[in-house]
């Protein structure tokens, strides 16, 4: 309970401004990398709270299985980040610092507001480039497919992050190391990430003139759509100007409802599939969606059937209650790991992460109505209990 109480200040309404990048250069400029706030970690309780509030207000736009898996994936995303970096900072920060030391062209004054704004622009541009590469080049798609696999579009979709996503974006982030100091890079990487949370909703209509400059829920709905006009469009993180400049912009159509998910949706919630077994342009059984070049070409012009039922197998109410309690325990387990991670050995931290992965995979067995779900869960509880007693 103490760990929960420690995070209460992070949920102060004043902190919601970070969702909209509403910060000043002075408050978000730090002399040392070690002093930079972990804005992602700080905002995670508020994001989860907004997911819960949104779910209660709009239950029809949420599915229990989808939301639960989304929460598990963001916990894994944060834990993998801790495992891959000793400080818990962004994956690739060490690489960025190394490249910056070797190749930066000149020293910039990090306390100059114009340098802060330049860092904002360069981060958003490299995000656009990396995001576009993840969609248009198959090898990078593995870092991003899970985020687009949800057939729902809500706040929980925003936190549906592949555990190793940062590895895919690291090679693009270093492009700005020629001029941007690491202290500013990491701040804007955090804030760029956080801004995108509120874009994942169906409540916000078109924002008029702001649609020409900023990424908004309207143009991000297009990005998540599987309608033909939505494919490979609107890659921006904070600014939509890059899409307008490079020809990847598409406005949301009033006369065509956006259908969300992959071109051919995956009928499973299995973390094992999404993290380790994904076969691109294939279903969960390994069968090609569009065999041969001609079928792939024709699929570009095929209309989307948004009347297809979303994958949401009904499970007994008792199982839902059980899995909800397990989910709460998993969040508390994550808080415990986060509290102790700086004193944990690498092996111990890896074991804790493995327990979270197994817990998420076991939940997916229930959601997919796997016949061995109860037996697998029983074994998992025995192992977990034994580990926690050590």
């Amino acid at each position: 309970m103490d760990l929960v109480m420690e995070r209460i200040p992070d949920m102060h309404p004043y902190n919601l401004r970070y969702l909209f990048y509403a910060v000043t250069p002075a408050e978000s400029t730090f002399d040392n990398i070690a002093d930079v706030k972990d804005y992602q970690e700080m905002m995670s309780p508020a994001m989860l709270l907004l997911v819960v509030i949104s779910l209660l207000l709009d239950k029809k736009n949420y599915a229990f299985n989808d939301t639960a898996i989304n929460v598990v994936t963001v916990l894994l995303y944060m834990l993998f980040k801790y495992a891959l970096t000793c400080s818990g900072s962004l994956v690739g920060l060490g690489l960025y610092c190394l490249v910056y030391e070797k190749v930066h062209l000149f020293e910039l004054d990090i306390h100059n507001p114009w340098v802060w704004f330049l860092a904002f622009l360069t981060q958003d541009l490299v995000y656009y480039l990396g995001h576009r590469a993840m969609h248009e080049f198959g090898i990078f798609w593995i870092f991003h497919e899970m985020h687009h696999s949800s057939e729902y579009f809500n706040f929980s979709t925003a936190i549906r992050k592949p555990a190793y996503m940062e590895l895919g974006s690291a090679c693009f982030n270093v492009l700005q190391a020629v001029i941007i100091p690491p202290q500013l890079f990491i701040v804007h990487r955090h804030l760029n990430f956080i801004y995108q949370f509120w874009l994942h909703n169906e409540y916000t209509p078109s924002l008029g003139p702001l649609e020409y400059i900023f990424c908004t829920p309207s143009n991000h709905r297009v990005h998540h759509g599987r309608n033909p006009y939505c494919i490979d469009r609107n890659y921006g993180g904070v600014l939509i100007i890059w899409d307008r400049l490079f020809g990847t912009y598409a406005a949301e159509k009033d006369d065509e409802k956006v259908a969300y998910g992959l071109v051919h949706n995956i009928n499973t919630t299995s973390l094992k599939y999404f993290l380790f077994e994904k076969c691109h342009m294939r279903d969960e059984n390994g069968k090609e969606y569009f065999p041969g070049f001609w079928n792939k070409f024709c699929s570009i012009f095929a209309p989307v059937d948004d009347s297809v039922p979303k994958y949401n197998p009904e499970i007994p109410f008792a199982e839902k209650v059980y899995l909800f309690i397990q989910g709460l325990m998993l969040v508390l387990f994550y808080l415990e790991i986060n509290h102790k991670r700086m004193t944990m050995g690498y092996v111990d931290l890896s074991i804790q992460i493995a327990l979270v992965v197994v817990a998420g995979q076991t939940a997916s067995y229930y959601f997919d109505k796997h016949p061995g779900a109860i037996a697998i869960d029983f074994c998992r509880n025995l192992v977990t209990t034994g580990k926690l007693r050590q």
Side-chain angles (χ1 to χ4, degrees):
M1 186 57 67
D2 290 341
L3 295 177
V4 176
M5 297 304 295
E6 287 178 6
R7 304 306 302 273
I8 295 297
D10 290 339
M11 292 189 281
H12 192 285
Y14 184 67
N15 286 346
L16 293 178
R17 64 198 177 97
Y18 293 116
L19 294 175
F20 306 100
Y21 227 116
V23 297
T24 65
E27 70 175 300
S28 56
T29 300
F30 303 86
D31 291 321
N32 301 305
I33 295 176
D35 297 330
V36 177
K37 294 180 182 178
D38 189 340
Y39 292 101
Q40 290 185 28
E41 174 65 27
M42 182 181 73
M43 288 299 296
S44 58
M47 290 178 179
L48 287 175
L49 180 61
L50 288 172
V51 168
V52 173
I53 294 173
S54 175
L55 186 155
L56 295 175
L57 295 176
D58 187 19
K59 294 180 181 179
K60 70 179 187 303
N61 198 33
Y62 283 81
F64 181 70
N65 58 0
D66 183 78
T67 305
I69 292 299
N70 293 346
V71 172
V72 172
T73 61
V74 77
L75 296 182
L76 286 173
Y77 169 81
M78 300 298 289
L79 289 173
F80 268 67
K81 185 179 73 169
Y82 299 147
L84 292 169
T85 57
C86 297
S87 66
S89 299
L90 290 172
V91 174
L93 178 58
L95 174 64
Y96 189 97
C97 292
L98 177 64
V99 173
Y100 178 81
E101 288 298 322
K102 300 294 184 182
V103 306
H104 74 281
L105 301 178
F106 36 76
E107 300 286 343
L108 294 177
D109 179 9
I110 61 173
H111 295 286
N112 186 322
W114 288 109
V115 174
W116 186 94
F117 184 67
L118 176 63
F120 160 72
L121 290 177
T122 58
Q123 174 54 48
D124 205 53
L125 175 58
V126 298
Y127 175 83
Y128 169 87
L129 295 174
H131 194 187
R132 184 170 181 176
M134 288 182 185
H135 278 262
E136 299 184 13
F137 297 92
I139 192 171
F140 289 106
W141 180 235
I142 64 174
F143 298 106
H144 195 55
E145 182 182 11
M146 174 180 273
H147 181 62
H148 280 268
S149 62
S150 176
E151 298 176 70
Y152 297 84
F153 191 73
N154 51 50
F155 285 155
S156 78
T157 310
I159 62 176
R160 188 184 182 99
K161 303 291 185 183
Y164 38 70
M165 186 184 72
E166 290 293 340
L167 292 176
S169 59
C171 57
F172 293 94
N173 287 331
V174 297
L175 295 177
Q176 56 193 311
V178 293
I179 55 173
I180 302 300
Q183 301 97 310
L184 292 179
F185 152 68
I186 190 172
V187 165
H188 287 289
R189 182 67 188 94
H190 280 310
L191 295 175
N192 191 289
F193 177 96
I194 294 168
Y195 176 88
Q196 295 173 46
F197 174 83
W198 78 280
L199 302 181
H200 296 77
N201 80 78
E202 293 195 279
Y203 322 124
T204 309
S206 173
L207 298 180
L210 294 180
E211 300 285 342
Y212 290 96
I213 303 172
F214 296 103
C215 294
T216 66
S218 177
N219 55 52
H220 202 63
R221 287 192 287 268
V222 171
H223 176 68
H224 272 259
R226 57 189 179 92
N227 312 53
Y229 86 92
C230 298
I231 303 300
D232 294 339
R233 291 290 181 266
N234 300 356
Y235 297 118
V238 177
L239 300 175
I240 201 67
I241 57 174
W242 314 117
D243 290 282
R244 292 182 177 276
L245 285 172
F246 300 122
T248 54
Y249 175 76
E252 186 176 25
K253 294 182 178 180
D254 294 332
D255 59 349
E256 184 176 342
K257 180 177 174 58
V258 176
Y260 302 109
L262 305 175
V263 173
H264 187 287
N265 284 315
I266 304 298
N267 291 329
T268 183
T269 60
S270 172
L271 284 179
K272 181 166 66 73
Y273 172 80
F274 284 112
L275 292 177
F276 308 114
E277 298 178 352
K278 292 182 296 187
C279 298
H280 310 298
M281 300 302 288
R282 298 176 184 270
D283 64 18
E284 62 274 23
N285 299 314
K287 182 181 178 181
E288 281 198 81
Y289 302 144
F290 310 108
F293 173 79
W294 179 247
N295 286 322
K296 290 180 174 64
F297 177 78
C298 291
S299 71
I300 298 173
F301 306 99
V304 172
D305 183 4
D306 61 4
S307 65
V308 175
K310 295 176 180 176
Y311 181 71
N312 186 21
E314 186 61 32
I315 63 174
F317 178 75
E319 288 186 3
K320 289 184 178 180
V321 173
Y322 170 73
L323 291 171
F324 178 76
I325 295 172
Q326 289 285 307
L328 291 179
M329 294 176 64
L330 195 62
V331 171
L332 293 175
F333 184 55
Y334 162 78
L335 292 175
E336 180 72 18
I337 297 172
N338 186 41
H339 182 70
K340 297 179 177 179
R341 61 183 168 83
M342 298 303 292
T343 59
M344 275 187 182
Y346 189 80
V347 173
D348 193 27
L349 179 58
S350 298
I351 292 173
Q352 308 296 328
I353 293 173
L355 292 176
V356 177
V357 172
V358 173
Q361 180 60 32
T362 304
S364 74
Y365 285 139
Y366 281 103
F367 295 140
D368 291 342
K369 308 188 82 169
H370 190 287
I374 295 177
I376 294 170
D377 194 24
F378 178 76
C379 295
R380 178 192 69 86
N381 282 317
L382 285 179
V383 173
T384 303
T385 302
K387 172 61 182 173
L388 294 179
R389 284 181 174 178
Q390 292 180 359

